[in-house]
Amino acid sequence: MSEVKLSDLKGIGVKRLNSLNEGGIYTLADLLSYYPVSYKDTSKTIPLSYVKEGDFVCVEGIILSSPKIQYVRSGLNIVRCTLTDGVYKLPLIYFNQPWNMKNLYQGREITLYGRASMYKGSIVLINPEVVQERGIIPHYKAIENIGTKTMEGIIEQALKYIDSLIVETLTDEIIEEYSLIPLKEAVRQVHRPTSGESLNLAKRRIAFDNILYYQIAVMHFRRRSDEGIKLSVTDTMQEEYSALLPFKLTEAQNKAISDIEKDFESGKAMNRLLQGDVGSGKTAVAFAAVYYMHKAGYQTALMAPTETLAYQHIESAKKLLEPAGIKCGLLIGGMKAADRKKALECILSGEWSLVIGTHALISESVEYKALGLVITDEQHRFGVRQRKRLSDKAESVPHVLVLSATPIPRTLALVIYGDLDVSTMRGMPPGRLPVKTRIVPENKRKDMYTFIRQAVSKGERVYYICPLVEESDKTEAKSVQEMYDTLSKGALRGLNIGITYGTQNAEDKKKAISDFSLGKTSVLVATTVVEVGIDVPQATIIVIENADRFGLSQLHQLRGRVGRGKKQSWCFLLGERNERLAAMCETNDGFEIAEKDLEIRGPGEFLGTMQHGKSTFSIMTGDMRLIEDAQNCAKQVILGSKKHEELISSALEKYSYAYDNIALN
Ligand code: ADP
Ligand code: MG
């Protein structure tokens, strides 16, 4: 039998075939690993009293009284009615679905499916659908030219060939030891679940494979970079470095520095992640490493994700390190030819001990005299391959230190940064005023604007973050512009307001940010682009519109833009109070936030938002144990590599790109 091709499937012509290819689907087997993004579980209903905010629920009951319609403004009408099970009541709200006036008549017995949301202080179902089909119904993400239903149809066809398409990848021992189900069964169940329990087992198996493959790849790469520059850090060196600092190192900083010292002394190449909240003092730790390297005759390259950040680093580096005779220099993309030439000479001759820059640091033409350490600030902008490329420039493998202000719970850090050792700094250096965070209900919006005006009149500055732009909605630029218009014509009239957003051209972006940091503008209307790399100590307020739509970790990152000066800072969250916003008000500790975020969303979603492009963990369970199991299994596989050659090579193949793509948002 010749192999069945995608083009053999009913409904697949040239146009759709192209779309599938563009979506990374080339074979029927690829199609079978296009898993549903969600499921609609209408197999069971739950009592109304069990309905919790955020859950997707299937409920049954009777419509209590005739629905009412409200015409709010042109283009917006709202139908309201109430569902009851005889004891409890659940409000139903439909936006722009006037036909429900007839559909949801009083006394109708009905089964509904939808998401329970908080609306004006109570739990409601917004736009729930009437359930026709009971069961666990998969939902596929549409791709261009191929809608959800078509996707379902072609997957249905592919499932007929599952026996020849899916080959078991794990040995019987592994399957048994970790209580997994066979791959074929898992794939079938994931697409066509017969019950909630079997779907869970199926997801568990697929998640296990995902993590296992990834961990195998990570462990494999890690094993390669063994030998490193050995140097010993003396007490004198430690004391000398401490003496350079205008402050006393905190316990957390000392601990992190001693982790690095141990790595330097080990003779193996360091691969360390230093994670700590914004402002926790990672720079002082990183510069200790620079100092030790310099003393031992080696150079350090420090890569920043943006030029703005590179400039900030060079400033503080010069202030701190040059008095100790450590020359620091800058190498960035847009330099004048003459400056660049000079910079390259200083790097090659070893005159510069610390080179700070952006991607330009890894361009082919940069040669170092003796590169001993590579530091990347804000890891998320650098793939492993880039790190490797930079490492390749050195004669022996340089040490690598990765700084990250995106705190990740330890267990997950092991998954994501499987190739890195992790040093964690909790808490802040002394003398810092924690940012005060408040949820601002609609009826307090006016007061907030008054507060903002007062702050601005005292020379303080304000970030104003616009709502997230949903895919099909409208462009980011438009949403920022609208917010700008609303504010400058209304509540913040007369103030100097600037705007910036991700897709803005580089020059305007630079200007918007410099105007704001110079105080030419007092309010900066922005999208989440301000997350990275802007440091304006005079900014004391950050307003986040529709905060209830942001993820917890992202809110925390945004909040980190303020609280950098001596004055009290504020974070105002507009939106309905929910668990996430409440957590924001309770703590300023990034690790607590990350743990809470993980608890609310589960590892699957948590990781899901942490990467761009290809989805590495397309299916995950909320099961932390599983992650540990898969890790242990990966260790077994790597140690007994002979027995698992095929598994290892497919893991490497699968993750050679994904490994490069792991990025934090
Ligand atoms: P981040 O971890 O965000 O990179 P920085 O290294 O930029 O944080 O430090 C934030 C601020 O805290 C800087 O102004 C720095 O000088 C200051 N700082 C760092 N360590 C200490 C300390 N031990 N005591 C007092 N201030 C410190
Ligand atoms: Mg920093």
Side-chain angles (χ1 to χ4, degrees):
M1 191 184 83
S2 70
E3 206 182 314
V4 185
K5 296 197 291 290
L6 283 179
S7 53
D8 298 334
L9 298 180
K10 267 193 239 106
I12 297 297
V14 179
K15 201 164 147 198
R16 281 183 172 157
L17 187 63
N18 279 336
S19 301
L20 285 172
N21 290 170
E22 257 160 50
I25 300 170
Y26 296 93
T27 65
L28 260 66
D30 292 341
L31 198 53
L32 287 185
S33 57
Y34 194 82
Y35 304 125
V37 282
S38 61
Y39 298 86
K40 207 165 81 181
D41 187 354
T42 57
S43 62
K44 299 193 257 296
T45 57
I46 62 163
L48 296 190
S49 57
Y50 284 25
V51 174
K52 273 209 329 273
E53 188 207 345
D55 288 353
F56 283 92
V57 293
C58 184
V59 289
E60 60 191 345
I62 298 174
I63 301 295
L64 193 60
S65 55
S66 304
K68 296 204 169 51
I69 189 160
Q70 181 193 0
Y71 295 94
V72 182
R73 55 178 153 81
S74 95
L76 178 64
N77 60 68
I78 304 177
V79 172
R80 292 167 209 269
C81 62
T82 305
L83 184 75
T84 180
D85 60 5
V87 184
Y88 287 92
K89 291 178 191 156
L90 182 64
L92 311 176
I93 293 179
Y94 289 88
F95 293 106
N96 293 336
Q97 296 187 7
W99 57 88
N100 281 311
M101 285 298 289
K102 273 206 184 126
N103 193 17
L104 301 175
Y105 52 87
Q106 180 175 11
R108 177 171 176 189
E109 267 182 56
I110 199 167
T111 309
L112 292 166
Y113 179 86
R115 185 175 198 159
S117 314
M118 198 54 102
Y119 183 77
K120 309 220 156 149
S122 40
I123 289 185
V124 305
L125 294 188
I126 293 179
N127 297 351
E129 48 182 300
V130 180
V131 172
Q132 316 280 3
E133 184 190 357
R134 300 294 287 264
I136 302 174
I137 298 142
H139 174 77
Y140 296 94
K141 194 169 165 218
I143 59 180
E144 211 186 334
N145 296 318
I146 303 178
T148 305
K149 278 284 156 207
T150 312
M151 191 59 96
E152 203 182 312
I154 56 178
I155 286 173
E156 184 71 42
Q157 295 177 59
L159 280 169
K160 293 201 193 101
Y161 303 100
I162 192 168
D163 282 330
S164 59
L165 291 172
I166 302 292
V167 180
E168 183 54 65
T169 49
L170 302 182
T171 61
D172 291 347
E173 293 97 73
I174 292 178
I175 290 179
E176 192 170 329
E177 180 170 355
Y178 295 99
S179 314
L180 303 168
I181 62 169
L183 186 58
K184 201 172 288 175
E185 199 182 319
V187 172
R188 203 192 313 270
Q189 279 293 329
V190 145
H191 288 292
R192 298 290 173 265
T194 48
S195 73
E197 291 72 37
S198 49
L199 175 60
N200 281 340
L201 287 175
K203 283 180 168 179
R204 194 169 172 276
R205 167 66 207 257
I206 288 165
F208 186 90
D209 280 26
N210 269 336
I211 305 166
L212 175 69
Y213 276 52
Y214 182 70
Q215 291 300 308
I216 289 174
V218 159
M219 286 176 192
H220 176 87
F221 285 121
R222 183 193 175 104
R223 288 206 319 170
R224 282 196 316 205
S225 57
D226 268 346
E227 299 290 295
I229 300 158
K230 187 177 163 94
L231 53 105
S232 46
V233 180
T234 61
D235 290 352
T236 327
M237 279 156 79
Q238 287 175 354
E239 283 155 25
E240 280 167 1
Y241 177 68
S242 301
L244 291 175
L245 298 168
F247 44 72
K248 196 168 163 287
L249 289 166
T250 63
E251 211 169 295
Q253 285 170 321
N254 276 321
K255 172 74 179 61
I257 292 174
S258 100
D259 288 345
I260 293 170
E261 288 171 10
K262 281 192 198 115
D263 291 341
F264 283 175
E265 286 164 359
S266 73
K268 298 216 164 134
M270 172 171 80
N271 251 315
R272 182 167 291 280
L273 170 77
L274 174 61
Q275 56 168 351
D277 257 319
V278 167
S280 59
K282 294 184 291 292
T283 316
V285 174
F287 285 175
V290 174
Y291 186 82
Y292 298 156
M293 275 294 149
H294 168 81
K295 286 285 163 186
Y298 289 99
Q299 291 166 294
T300 299
L302 194 168
M303 274 207 279
T306 64
E307 290 190 4
T308 318
L309 268 178
Y311 282 115
Q312 278 165 25
H313 276 307
I314 193 79
E315 226 171 89
S316 45
K318 283 196 161 152
K319 212 162 35 187
L320 186 76
L321 298 171
E322 292 207 332
I326 303 177
K327 284 259 168 62
C328 313
L330 196 63
L331 184 73
I332 50 177
M335 280 168 102
K336 279 196 215 112
D339 291 342
R340 181 178 167 83
K341 188 159 167 272
K342 205 155 152 251
L344 291 176
E345 281 166 15
C346 293
I347 298 171
L348 183 61
S349 71
E351 186 181 337
W352 287 355
S353 284
L354 173 61
V355 192
I356 298 177
T358 52
H359 291 76
L361 288 188
I362 53 169
S363 81
E364 299 300 336
S365 49
V366 186
E367 271 182 72
Y368 293 82
K369 179 163 183 242
L371 181 62
L373 170 66
V374 174
I375 302 174
T376 68
D377 191 13
E378 303 301 340
Q379 129 91 6
H380 47 292
R381 297 298 169 96
F382 298 102
V384 165
R385 207 161 290 178
Q386 284 169 303
R387 290 212 307 260
K388 239 202 118 285
R389 197 158 138 216
L390 188 48
S391 303
D392 286 344
K393 298 202 158 295
E395 274 167 34
S396 45
V397 187
H399 298 286
V400 172
L401 179 65
V402 176
L403 311 181
S404 171
T406 310
I408 298 171
R410 175 131 197 113
T411 337
L412 280 190
L414 286 175
V415 176
I416 301 169
Y417 300 119
D419 62 328
L420 302 175
D421 295 311
V422 180
S423 295
T424 295
M425 299 207 299
R426 286 188 98 129
M428 290 285 165
R432 208 160 258 272
L433 277 175
V435 178
K436 289 188 178 165
T437 304
R438 300 286 184 267
I439 299 169
V440 181
E442 245 351 272
N443 64 4
K444 288 276 160 58
R445 187 182 270 273
K446 267 214 182 105
D447 297 348
M448 178 184 81
Y449 289 128
T450 311
F451 190 92
I452 289 176
R453 283 181 173 280
Q454 276 168 4
V456 168
S457 74
K458 286 184 280 181
E460 298 172 30
R461 281 165 230 164
V462 182
Y463 292 107
Y464 204 106
I465 309 299
C466 296
L468 290 172
V469 175
E470 309 259 298
E471 271 166 69
S472 57
D473 252 8
K474 51 183 159 189
T475 65
E476 190 190 70
K478 190 153 172 254
S479 127
V480 176
Q481 189 63 47
E482 274 175 18
M483 182 58 73
Y484 173 86
D485 291 343
T486 313
L487 290 173
S488 55
K489 283 187 203 129
L492 299 182
R493 196 180 180 144
L495 301 187
N496 292 323
I497 308 179
I499 59 180
T500 188
Y501 48 92
T503 52
Q504 194 176 29
N505 74 53
E507 218 149 277
D508 292 348
K509 200 183 285 180
K510 215 167 170 180
K511 183 161 185 321
I513 290 165
S514 91
D515 282 354
F516 184 66
S517 61
L518 294 171
K520 286 189 198 163
T521 52
S522 326
V523 179
L524 185 60
V525 178
T527 55
T528 52
V529 290
V530 298
E531 263 185 78
V532 178
I534 304 184
D535 187 15
V536 180
Q538 296 87 345
T540 55
I541 297 176
I542 185 163
V543 178
I544 306 175
E545 286 278 352
N546 283 118
D548 48 355
R549 285 174 39 191
F550 286 87
L552 194 42
S553 296
Q554 194 173 23
L555 289 172
H556 179 69
Q557 288 296 317
L558 286 166
R559 177 167 61 184
R561 293 305 108 200
V562 297
R564 301 173 154 233
K566 301 224 152 41
K567 290 188 180 165
Q568 178 62 56
S569 285
W570 298 84
C571 171
F572 294 131
L573 306 170
L574 290 143
E576 293 278 344
R577 170 180 281 273
N578 61 21
E579 208 179 337
R580 277 170 285 144
L581 301 194
M584 282 290 290
C585 297
E586 268 160 36
T587 179
N588 278 307
D589 180 306
F591 290 93
E592 249 176 74
I593 297 266
E595 271 151 28
K596 186 82 194 168
D597 200 14
L598 180 61
E599 181 192 312
I600 295 174
R601 294 195 291 166
E605 271 192 64
F606 188 94
L607 289 172
T609 57
M610 298 189 83
Q611 68 218 341
H612 306 299
K614 206 124 180 139
S615 138
T616 306
F617 302 101
S618 50
I619 285 200
M620 279 282 268
T621 62
D623 185 358
M624 226 43 179
R625 257 288 298 286
L626 186 73
I627 294 177
E628 284 159 24
D629 279 358
Q631 269 175 328
N632 287 333
C633 182
K635 269 183 216 146
Q636 281 175 0
V637 168
I638 286 279
L639 290 177
S641 51
K642 285 263 156 39
K643 252 171 52 199
H644 301 283
E645 259 159 28
E646 217 166 301
L647 184 57
I648 293 173
S649 67
S650 48
L652 295 183
E653 192 183 327
K654 185 161 179 208
Y655 282 117
S656 64
Y657 68 85
Y659 190 56
D660 211 28
N661 270 345
I662 292 299
L664 308 183
N665 64 357

